[in-house]
Amino acid sequence: MQPHLVLNDGQSLPRLGFGLWQVPQDETARVVREGLAAGYRLIDGAAIYGNEAGLGDGLRRTDVPRDRIFVTTKIWNDRQGYDSTKRAAEESLARIGVEHLDCLLIHWPCPDQDRYVETWRALVSLRSEGRVKSIGVSNFMAPHLHRIIDETGVVPVLNQIELHPRLVQAELRALHARLGIVTQSWTPLGQGRSFDAPAVQAAARRSGKSPAQVILRWHLQLGCSVIPRSTRAQGLAENLDLFDFALTPDEMDAITALDADERTGPDPLRFG
Ligand code: NDP
């Protein structure tokens, strides 16, 4: 399996990264440095995580060249709108201390605010100015995707959505495939709720891997990019060690059948 995906704008995305949600600011530089040393090349940050400065410190303390690292951050809900988003992006660039972002996402559509189209236009403009290489969205549902594409003609490179064995998102994944959008899974381990499921346990026993590795491999074989979080060096290394085994089609189907349409996070139609 190729460890990279080609985005619809021609950029290359490492399939596997690590996330920085709930990583304390004073631990973030260490986690970033350890993650890069372990072999990760995709880092998923967000302004609301409050640790962009730590992310930047970690980037400056690694030997890995900047152009080998794919850095994502996100525009928080209270910065939606054209001018406000452009300022928010500049603030993120300054906090991280980089010349450009590899990817910038709209964190939530916030349909009640009804500003995600102008927010998307701001991302398009940031891309043409070279401040951001790729632009995408997060937590967008079908109507939000159709609307930004219809109104701007620009298709997001990826949609980062809640996805794990208890929320398999089959319809949205199929829509992404039709539109050429990469599905990126957040909370991919689903807070451990499926670690004990017989389908996961059986695949773990057969492959000699941990339940977390089985679930992350399931994401990769679905075709998704995936961004687990671990603050432990051992967890970071374990979550990266996914390329020397494969799930069988039956194992894939058995894990997909755990779907319960169960979110751990908010409903994107209502949040923000
Ligand atoms: P994950 O599904 O990655 O789970 C993280 C939890 O699992 C932590 O408690 C971690 O503990 C534990 N864990 C990690 N690896 C292992 C392992 N190998 N074995 C056992 N336990 C393990 O959840 P997150 O919610 O953090 O999601 C990942 C990332 O997705 C976030 O960091 C963020 O970047 C992104 N995200 C995006 C959202 C959005 O709206 N766009 C919303 C939420 C998340 P420990 O640290 O002790 O290893």
Side-chain angles (χ1 to χ4, degrees), residues 18-22 44-45 49 74 107-108 138-139 160-161 185-192 195 210 212-213 216 227-232 234-236 238-239:
F18 63 98
L20 294 177
W21 183 45
Q22 291 183 331
D44 185 66
Y49 301 163
K74 314 186 190 84
H107 207 144
W108 291 86
S138 177
N139 300 300
Q160 185 185 110
I161 55 172
S185 310
W186 67 253
T187 304
L189 297 171
Q191 300 181 341
F195 283 7
S210 70
Q213 288 172 314
L216 294 173
I227 46 167
R229 163 181 57 104
S230 180
T231 48
R232 297 170 299 118
Q234 192 197 335
L236 282 168
E238 184 180 325
N239 296 344

Side-chain angles (χ1 to χ4, degrees), residues 77-81 109-116 272:
N77 305 344
D78 63 359
R79 304 303 297 272
Q80 288 220 17
C110 307
D112 288 349
Q113 289 189 28
D114 197 21
R115 290 192 296 178
Y116 61 86

Side-chain angles (χ1 to χ4, degrees), residues 92-159:
S92 284
L93 282 157
R95 275 193 298 267
I96 302 171
V98 288
E99 287 299 310
H100 71 270
L101 294 163
D102 298 281
C103 193
L104 183 62
L105 308 179
I106 305 177
H107 207 144
W108 291 86
C110 307
D112 288 349
Q113 289 189 28
D114 197 21
R115 290 192 296 178
Y116 61 86
V117 177
E118 35 171 329
T119 303
W120 184 241
R121 287 191 203 284
L123 266 56
V124 173
S125 163
L126 285 156
R127 187 178 64 176
S128 66
E129 292 164 3
R131 301 300 271 159
V132 182
K133 289 202 169 168
S134 295
I135 53 176
V137 295
S138 177
N139 300 300
F140 273 43
M141 311 274 273
H144 315 130
L145 289 173
H146 288 306
R147 188 160 163 221
I148 57 170
I149 295 167
D150 288 350
E151 294 200 23
T152 70
V154 180
V155 181
V157 295
L158 63 84
N159 187 13

Side-chain angles (χ1 to χ4, degrees), residues 2-258:
Q2 287 294 321
H4 284 77
L5 293 165
V6 178
L7 300 172
N8 64 26
D9 62 2
Q11 300 287 335
S12 176
L13 171 77
R15 275 174 178 264
L16 180 60
F18 63 98
L20 294 177
W21 183 45
Q22 291 183 331
V23 178
Q25 168 85 292
D26 58 357
E27 280 186 50
T28 304
R30 174 188 62 80
V31 171
V32 167
R33 208 181 56 240
E34 286 178 0
L36 293 168
Y40 289 90
R41 293 295 178 264
L42 162 62
I43 305 172
D44 185 66
I48 193 67
Y49 301 163
N51 52 20
E52 287 181 317
L55 164 53
D57 281 347
L59 293 177
R60 283 183 292 279
R61 287 189 213 163
T62 177
D63 296 337
V64 181
R66 170 70 184 95
D67 63 4
R68 304 285 299 278
I69 308 170
F70 193 102
V71 178
T72 297
T73 195
K74 314 186 190 84
I75 299 293
W76 186 241
N77 305 344
D78 63 359
R79 304 303 297 272
Q80 288 220 17
Y82 189 86
D83 292 333
S84 171
T85 291
K86 292 197 74 170
R87 281 196 301 274
E90 292 299 334
E91 289 165 22
S92 284
L93 282 157
R95 275 193 298 267
I96 302 171
V98 288
E99 287 299 310
H100 71 270
L101 294 163
D102 298 281
C103 193
L104 183 62
L105 308 179
I106 305 177
H107 207 144
W108 291 86
C110 307
D112 288 349
Q113 289 189 28
D114 197 21
R115 290 192 296 178
Y116 61 86
V117 177
E118 35 171 329
T119 303
W120 184 241
R121 287 191 203 284
L123 266 56
V124 173
S125 163
L126 285 156
R127 187 178 64 176
S128 66
E129 292 164 3
R131 301 300 271 159
V132 182
K133 289 202 169 168
S134 295
I135 53 176
V137 295
S138 177
N139 300 300
F140 273 43
M141 311 274 273
H144 315 130
L145 289 173
H146 288 306
R147 188 160 163 221
I148 57 170
I149 295 167
D150 288 350
E151 294 200 23
T152 70
V154 180
V155 181
V157 295
L158 63 84
N159 187 13
Q160 185 185 110
I161 55 172
E162 180 174 354
L163 204 165
H164 44 73
R166 297 185 67 80
L167 184 71
V168 307
Q169 299 269 26
E171 276 179 33
L172 203 44
R173 281 189 290 112
L175 177 64
H176 291 165
R178 282 201 299 281
L179 295 174
I181 297 171
V182 166
T183 303
Q184 190 169 60
S185 310
W186 67 253
T187 304
L189 297 171
Q191 300 181 341
R193 288 182 200 175
S194 307
F195 283 7
D196 292 333
V200 174
Q201 288 286 329
R205 267 196 310 278
R206 205 257 324 142
S207 58
K209 293 283 178 176
S210 70
Q213 288 172 314
V214 164
I215 291 172
L216 294 173
R217 180 73 201 189
W218 170 81
H219 287 274
L220 296 180
Q221 286 185 223
L222 286 181
C224 302
S225 165
V226 64
I227 46 167
R229 163 181 57 104
S230 180
T231 48
R232 297 170 299 118
Q234 192 197 335
L236 282 168
E238 184 180 325
N239 296 344
L240 196 60
D241 181 19
L242 307 175
F243 294 97
D244 62 350
F245 77 114
L247 301 174
T248 66
D250 285 350
E251 287 169 339
M252 286 296 294
D253 290 347
I255 297 171
T256 305
L258 297 173

